[in-house]
Amino acid sequence: MKSFDLIIRNGYICDGTGNPSRHGDVGIVGDRIEAIGRLADATAKETVDASGKVVAPGFIDMHNHVDHAVLAFPDAESYIMQGVTTSVVGNCGLSMAPVSDAHRDEVRKYLKPFLDKEFDYGWEWSTLTEFFTRVRNSGTILNIAPLVGQGTLRIAVKGFEPSPATGAEMARMKELLREELEQGAFGLSSGLIYPPGSYTTERELTELASVLTPFGAVYATHIRNEGDRLIESVDEAIAIGEANRIPVEISHHKAAGRVNWGKVNATLRIMEQARARGVDVTCDVYPYPAAMTTITALLPSQALEGGIGEMLRRLADPASRTQLAAAIGDGTMKEENWIRGIGWKNIVIAECRAASRYDGMSLEQIIAGRKPEDPFGSFFDWLLEVKAEATMVLFGMDEEDVRTVIAHPLSAVISDSWVTAPRAGGRPHPRGYGSFPRLLGKYVREEKLLSLEDAIRKITSMPASKIGIRDRGLLREGFFADVVVFDAATITDKATFTNPHQYPEGIEHVVVNGRIVVTRNTLHGVRPGTILRRI
Ligand SMILES: [Zn+2]
């Protein structure tokens, strides 16, 4: 009689391919799936009864910022509780390495608003391998697949200097990228609204991305503009991929600002046309009509030339203040202009490190408490007071666009959040707790926007194959045993914008590398995750 370490019995097996679910059992030995089907006669050391529940591959979140948080939150509570077993990190141009001695402090300062305020990171690493050795030593519940951030690479070579890369600087960036890919990194990300990504020309990006070609590795991009110049920015991303014959992933696809709503119909068509020419372009989307990022993204990128210290100096200088206010106010700012696009009242502070009394307040409220007749002056004074150490939620998208992108066959669904837990405080975007249950509860069960099988495909096999993760993302014999058991009738995201620190309902069990790590929102105290390598 066949014997397993773990059998998940009598579930509806939704295997990640998009094919219809079927009734059956999943047998696991060690960290691998050994058998799928009817295993009524087999014995097991441990059995999970999945009667009436869906059994799916562990969810793969191909876009988030979990990188550093796994050190402060090795149990990744907000992720593992929603069924995520693999996290692709290093997105939006920002990875934790490579870091150079000359510019270490600049990266550290720039990432500070995202980092846990209590935790001592140390910042002693130089390469991704060194950073993730530290993660592995402290243990991780999630599997982690790293990308290399173009912004981080450029800071390592030339800090926040905006000038075009010289020949020698270009060669150094390419060398650093190649070394990380040889060590197992999955691809290159860019964040072209954030300095120094915003200083980087299409030509420089195209040349850097040429390093990806022999590896067949992905270029994942937070494009240059998701509002007024959305279409040109999608074109740029596709051109970089087409020139180098590499896969392109357009990150957190959206149309920001009311005047741009509906443009996703055009951009999805552009992606379809590019695919017809042979470009492997796809996109991803988080299931909410609001964004979240650092407060400095409201400023024109010239404000950040030289780094955060220089930015604060400019915000205190009357002439620079006039210039910055004019660039935002008259719309000549060439980056995403959120203040003009959605207004002060739709920009809400998520977490302000310097003073938590601002958490949950809109910029309109903050300005009203100062000099309402001078909104820019009030805003800049407030930024100086809190040293710009704040994150914000931006209510700037159309729910109809979110639905259009989720339903489209070319999109994967992601969280775009970082790890949090109730003890972290603040008012983070609820996507950190609810993205995947929200897809399966709101969009599949309640609104019937897409089938369960299609939704599961978008959070398992589709991201796995795009990023180049082999042996995960499907329930298939021989694959790693990352599994989620959930109740399709009850799965619900509970986190909201006003009360975000809430775990979802309906996730019964989460299995990582053959070990049960969570049962109904209770951790089992094991961290069987690992750092994945492309090679
Ligand atoms: Zn981004």
Side-chain angles (χ1 to χ4, degrees):
M1 189 167 34
K2 182 73 188 158
S3 176
F4 295 90
D5 291 327
L6 172 64
I7 295 184
I8 301 168
R9 291 196 187 277
N10 294 320
Y12 285 98
I13 298 173
C14 184
D15 65 7
T17 58
N19 291 330
S21 306
R22 62 188 192 280
H23 194 256
D25 309 320
V26 177
I28 293 165
V29 174
D31 59 7
R32 302 273 184 162
I33 297 170
E34 177 97 355
I36 299 178
R38 276 187 54 79
L39 306 174
D41 297 335
T43 60
K45 292 180 194 143
E46 201 172 3
T47 299
V48 164
D49 177 12
S51 303
K53 310 292 191 298
V54 175
V55 182
F59 305 152
I60 297 177
D61 182 1
M62 78 189 298
H63 187 103
N64 59 71
H65 302 277
V66 163
D67 313 51
H68 35 79
V70 287
L71 284 175
F73 298 93
D75 289 322
E77 290 93 326
S78 59
Y79 275 85
I80 203 77
M81 303 286 190
Q82 51 174 320
V84 173
T85 55
T86 296
S87 181
V88 180
V89 305
N91 278 288
C92 294
L94 290 170
S95 52
M96 295 302 274
V99 178
S100 66
D101 290 340
H103 301 288
R104 175 168 280 116
D105 217 40
E106 289 161 72
V107 194
R108 198 177 56 76
K109 275 203 192 111
Y110 188 69
L111 288 177
K112 200 170 169 193
F114 299 107
L115 302 183
D116 187 70
K117 49 186 175 244
E118 312 292 343
F119 191 81
D120 178 17
Y121 292 85
W123 284 90
E124 72 287 0
W125 58 86
S126 298
T127 63
L128 280 174
T129 303
E130 287 169 11
F131 174 73
F132 284 112
T133 299
R134 198 171 150 201
V135 172
R136 194 185 288 112
N137 289 344
S138 59
T140 167
I141 203 165
L142 299 173
N143 300 311
I144 295 179
L147 300 173
V148 182
Q150 181 267 336
T152 302
L153 263 182
R154 203 175 198 271
I155 296 169
V157 173
K158 54 187 288 153
F160 283 91
E161 166 62 47
S163 59
T166 64
E169 287 166 344
M170 197 68 235
R172 181 66 185 139
M173 286 191 278
K174 289 166 79 173
E175 185 186 354
L176 285 170
L177 175 57
R178 193 174 301 110
E179 284 169 8
E180 294 291 2
L181 292 166
E182 282 166 357
Q183 291 300 309
F186 284 81
L188 176 71
S189 79
S190 68
L192 305 182
I193 69 160
Y194 304 112
S198 53
Y199 307 144
T200 310
T201 61
E202 181 178 336
R203 200 168 146 195
E204 185 179 319
L205 286 167
T206 304
E207 183 169 352
L208 181 64
S210 70
V211 175
L212 301 169
T213 309
F215 295 86
V218 68
Y219 170 61
T221 177
H222 178 159
I223 56 177
R224 215 172 278 280
N225 188 297
E226 296 178 316
D228 296 344
R229 287 183 295 115
L230 174 65
I231 288 172
E232 300 89 309
S233 302
V234 168
D235 286 340
E236 180 190 26
I238 291 171
I240 291 166
E242 196 159 12
N244 288 306
R245 298 184 161 272
I246 49 171
V248 177
E249 178 72 10
I250 296 181
S251 300
H252 44 58
H253 193 43
K254 64 170 83 71
R258 185 174 282 273
V259 294
N260 300 304
W261 290 358
K263 280 188 183 174
V264 295
N265 295 293
T267 52
L268 289 166
R269 207 161 40 246
I270 290 168
M271 289 180 223
E272 289 166 2
Q273 288 161 353
R275 288 183 70 86
R277 298 196 301 275
V279 187
D280 176 9
V281 58
T282 48
C283 66
D284 51 62
V285 56
Y286 48 81
Y288 296 86
M292 178 174 176
T293 189
T294 166
I295 197 86
T296 57
L298 296 178
L299 300 172
S301 64
Q302 75 249 29
L304 278 103
E305 284 177 16
I308 295 286
E310 279 300 295
M311 183 199 76
L312 293 172
R313 194 194 55 70
R314 286 188 188 100
L315 286 174
D317 171 59
S320 305
R321 283 163 73 104
T322 308
Q323 272 174 12
L324 291 174
I328 301 169
D330 66 18
T332 51
M333 161 176 180
K334 60 182 187 330
E335 303 78 14
E336 209 87 72
N337 193 334
W338 285 101
I339 293 172
R340 225 172 112 98
I342 66 176
W344 304 104
K345 74 170 185 303
N346 290 313
I347 303 171
V348 176
I349 303 307
E351 186 179 5
C352 178
R353 285 294 156 85
S356 59
R357 66 178 177 280
Y358 295 118
D359 297 354
M361 279 177 83
S362 70
L363 287 183
E364 185 177 66
Q365 290 169 310
I366 289 171
I367 289 164
R370 290 167 183 259
K371 284 182 284 178
E373 70 284 1
D374 178 15
F376 283 104
S378 303
F379 173 50
F380 296 156
D381 286 345
W382 176 78
L383 279 178
L384 280 168
E385 180 191 311
V386 302
K387 297 195 180 63
E389 285 178 17
T391 50
M392 61 182 170
V393 174
L394 301 147
F395 293 90
M397 285 105 83
D398 182 16
E399 175 65 20
E400 209 37 57
D401 282 354
V402 175
R403 289 169 54 88
T404 299
V405 181
I406 290 175
H408 197 279
L410 293 183
S411 72
V413 175
I414 52 140
S415 74
D416 194 19
S417 184
W418 44 91
V419 179
T420 184
R423 67 179 183 277
R427 289 255 198 117
H429 193 302
R431 65 195 180 185
Y433 285 91
S435 291
F436 299 91
R438 187 174 173 85
L439 171 69
L440 301 170
K442 177 180 164 69
Y443 293 105
V444 172
R445 183 183 62 243
E446 292 172 13
E447 301 185 6
K448 300 186 171 43
L449 179 66
L450 68 174
S451 70
L452 176 70
E453 287 80 1
D454 197 22
I456 294 292
R457 182 184 71 87
K458 286 172 179 280
I459 52 178
T460 57
S461 67
M462 189 179 176
S465 70
K466 185 72 190 208
I467 293 292
I469 299 171
R470 288 192 291 269
D471 302 344
R472 295 184 196 267
L474 290 174
L475 294 181
R476 178 169 286 177
E477 286 160 15
F479 271 48
F480 281 96
D482 295 340
V483 186
V484 180
V485 179
F486 65 92
D487 187 340
T490 63
I491 191 165
T492 307
D493 59 306
K494 303 294 281 182
T496 62
F497 286 98
T498 48
N499 191 5
H501 289 289
Q502 299 192 79
Y503 296 121
E505 279 179 11
I507 306 263
E508 297 281 316
H509 304 278
V510 182
V511 176
V512 175
N513 292 321
R515 307 279 300 277
I516 303 177
V517 294
V518 173
T519 298
R520 289 179 214 99
N521 289 350
T522 303
L523 290 165
H524 285 237
V526 289
R527 294 175 185 160
T530 189
I531 310 302
L532 307 182
R533 291 150 59 95
R534 194 169 203 283
I535 43 181

